[in-house]
Amino acid sequence: ALTSIVLPELGSPLSGPLSNLPLRDPDFTGREDTLAIVSRELAEAGVVAVHGLGGVGKSQLAIEFARRGRAAEIFDVVWWIRAESTATIVEDFAALASALKIPSGQDQARTVTAVREMLQHRDRWLLIFDNVPEARAVRTWLPTGGGQVLITSRDRSWVGLARRVELGSFTRTESLGYLRQRTGRDEPAAEALAEVLGDLPLALAQAASYIELHGGLSAGQYLQLYRDREGAGLLLSEGLTRYPHTVATTWLTHFDQLAESNPAALQLLRLCSHLD
């Protein structure tokens, strides 16, 4: 019972489009087929989980989908929720409560309930739960109603909670298009660079940033640096201007999680790496 919180009248219009989306990557490339699938699955199921390995661009895909939906005036509310922890979820729900002009008090749980209650009686909203560690971490937070929920996660276990859409690496065509767009050049070595980086979007973004920051280095020159084992380690640790994590830190996060959740799997991974 929301005895201490007065909700806005359910039929009253919102004051205007509400959004807290992160900045869009101006060089977003490809993924048109996946965006169409996400749109279709959301229309049918209401909740979709985009899952895949770290660095494949799940968050960027979600931002692109949300911004296109907002530009097309499909949604009145588009809200980004950092779902790495309960603390960030509560914080972002509280910010949404403020944007919706729902009074918030000391009881954070009551504030979240008020937001979910309001959304339950409205449509034309999209909530993005970004970087969810596992399904049970958000099960009790998901609102119901006429809106839509988009989840990004490395976890693939979403049976009974969300429709799954797997996101893999770029196709080779997408990789070459991305490098061409970022560097402004169509180089023969770009194909070999995409191959050695496994068409991983984060690695390609890192390569393009490095090339830009070092005086327009050619794809061939970057590839030569990368093929040096020590050089590869340095390049993968190089920071990006548009992304919060490098390839190295992204994968080290996986290792940290494995050490806690499945140490035997981490031992097996280290054994395979050693034998390789």
Side-chain angles (χ1 to χ4, degrees):
L2 307 175
T3 55
S4 65
I5 295 178
V6 179
L7 293 174
E9 186 179 342
L10 295 177
S12 61
L14 297 172
S15 59
L18 301 177
S19 174
N20 70 334
L21 282 177
L23 291 175
R24 173 188 179 273
D25 180 3
D27 294 309
F28 184 90
T29 303
R31 304 300 202 187
E32 295 301 328
D33 290 346
T34 307
L35 286 166
I37 292 171
V38 169
S39 180
R40 183 181 68 243
E41 296 290 345
L42 273 174
E44 292 180 1
V47 183
V48 166
V50 176
H51 66 91
L53 295 174
V56 297
K58 300 180 294 297
S59 297
Q60 290 300 322
L61 180 87
I63 293 171
E64 184 69 17
F65 176 83
R67 289 197 172 274
R68 290 187 187 188
R70 194 182 66 170
E73 299 184 348
I74 296 173
F75 306 112
D76 294 328
V77 177
V78 177
W79 209 255
W80 189 267
I81 297 174
R82 297 161 297 157
E84 296 95 341
S85 69
T86 299
T88 55
I89 291 176
V90 169
E91 184 178 332
D92 291 338
F93 261 108
L96 178 55
S98 176
L100 291 171
K101 302 191 182 333
I102 298 175
S104 58
Q106 296 296 320
D107 191 335
Q108 293 179 320
R110 193 177 291 259
T111 300
V112 172
T113 301
V115 172
R116 295 176 69 220
E117 177 80 6
M118 184 176 183
L119 294 177
Q120 185 177 352
H121 296 281
R122 291 187 179 275
D123 55 12
R124 295 174 56 84
W125 51 263
L126 173 69
L127 263 56
I128 303 103
F129 287 79
D130 182 53
N131 202 22
V132 177
E134 55 185 345
R136 64 181 179 180
V138 293
R139 184 178 294 275
T140 59
W141 298 97
L142 302 185
T144 58
Q148 298 177 347
V149 174
L150 182 58
I151 296 165
T152 72
S153 178
R154 290 190 289 269
D155 188 17
R156 57 182 296 117
S157 304
W158 294 95
V159 176
L161 189 61
R163 291 274 183 92
R164 295 190 307 146
V165 174
E166 183 171 8
L167 187 65
S169 295
F170 275 157
T171 65
R172 184 55 49 83
T173 300
E174 288 173 331
S175 293
L176 297 178
Y178 179 80
L179 288 172
R180 187 184 308 114
Q181 185 165 312
R182 285 292 305 273
T183 64
R185 300 192 299 270
D186 196 354
E187 301 180 69
E191 174 99 25
L193 179 57
E195 173 73 26
V196 78
L197 294 179
D199 296 296
L200 184 69
L202 181 58
L204 290 164
Q206 212 163 312
S209 291
Y210 190 91
I211 288 170
E212 290 172 350
L213 291 171
H214 290 77
L217 207 66
S218 70
Q221 289 171 316
Y222 183 91
L223 185 60
Q224 188 174 2
L225 289 171
Y226 185 89
R227 280 175 169 155
D228 174 78
R229 288 301 182 188
E230 185 176 347
L234 293 173
L235 292 176
L236 288 176
S237 301
E238 189 80 14
L240 296 175
T241 56
R242 298 174 184 165
Y243 296 87
H245 305 295
T246 65
V247 173
T249 56
T250 296
W251 284 92
L252 285 173
T253 299
H254 291 309
F255 299 152
D256 292 340
Q257 290 177 340
L258 274 180
E260 292 185 9
S261 63
N262 199 334
L266 182 58
Q267 290 178 345
L268 179 59
L269 177 59
R270 286 172 171 163
L271 176 62
C272 292
S273 300
H274 175 72
L275 293 175
D276 186 56

